[in-house]
Amino acid sequence: QVRKGVLISIIEGGICLIVVSLFIFYIMLVIGLGAILILIFSIIIFSVRTWWNWRYLSSIQYRLDPKDLVLMDGVSHLRERTIPYFKIKNVEINRGFLQKYFDLSSVSINVGKDNLNQDGYGIRIYDLATADANKLRDEIMKRARKKK
């Protein structure tokens, strides 16, 4: 079953591809045929990016264990991260433009200064149905409060 989040990734990749292709097509008209190679290269790059995002979003799984939250993800290899509930500081629900359109949300789990990724969160679970995201947030926070 294809998740809506995977469709969003494909839509975003397609939009990027169309915008860049139109820009390069304009350059082709102005500069000449040498830009055809740039167009072909851009199509290949954006196609690979869209495929990679689709594979990554399709790989995300999570599990609520009695003592820990476990996230499994990965394209080329499976990565498993375990975060004890007592380390969880906050759980937020995020919704972008396309997520709002498809009634999806991402759950961001703040773990303080430990296990941070580039956006300051230990775990992000993408593109859950909004009702499921709210239930997950409530359950994680309930377990985190019990462990403190």
Side-chain angles (χ1 to χ4, degrees):
Q1 179 182 359
V2 178
R3 293 181 358 193
K4 289 181 183 177
V6 174
L7 294 175
I8 289 174
S9 176
I10 292 170
I11 290 169
E12 287 175 343
I15 290 170
C16 289
L17 180 61
I18 290 169
V19 169
V20 169
S21 297
L22 289 173
F23 178 72
I24 292 174
F25 182 72
Y26 174 75
I27 291 173
M28 259 181 6
L29 292 176
V30 173
I31 296 176
L33 296 177
I36 290 178
L37 293 176
I38 297 171
L39 177 64
I40 292 169
F41 182 73
S42 297
I43 290 171
I44 291 169
I45 293 296
F46 282 109
S47 298
V48 169
R49 177 199 170 274
T50 301
W51 174 83
W52 189 267
N53 284 344
W54 172 75
R55 289 292 309 240
Y56 175 73
L57 290 172
S58 297
S59 76
I60 296 174
Q61 301 173 16
Y62 66 91
R63 182 176 71 236
L64 298 174
D65 286 348
K67 296 182 179 183
D68 305 312
L69 172 63
V70 181
L71 176 76
M72 289 90 48
D73 62 2
V75 176
S76 59
H77 66 282
L78 185 63
R79 175 177 64 164
E80 184 173 303
R81 292 182 281 173
T82 302
I83 295 186
Y85 292 119
F86 70 86
K87 286 189 175 188
I88 295 174
K89 309 292 184 212
N90 190 27
V91 180
E92 295 179 0
I93 303 291
N94 303 312
R95 298 182 77 193
F97 174 73
L98 286 175
Q99 287 177 317
K100 287 179 186 176
Y101 180 77
F102 287 107
D103 193 31
L104 299 172
S105 298
S106 295
V107 178
S108 300
I109 301 160
N110 186 327
V111 293
K113 294 183 180 180
D114 298 335
N115 298 327
L116 297 181
N117 59 20
Q118 66 271 13
D119 59 1
Y121 287 90
I123 290 181
R124 180 166 278 175
I125 302 170
Y126 296 94
D127 299 329
L128 297 173
T130 300
D132 293 338
N134 288 322
K135 288 177 190 174
L136 180 62
R137 177 195 58 201
D138 295 342
E139 183 63 27
I140 291 171
M141 287 307 297
K142 183 174 94 175
R143 292 179 186 213
R145 283 187 209 109
K146 283 183 183 178
K147 298 296 178 184
K148 290 185 180 180

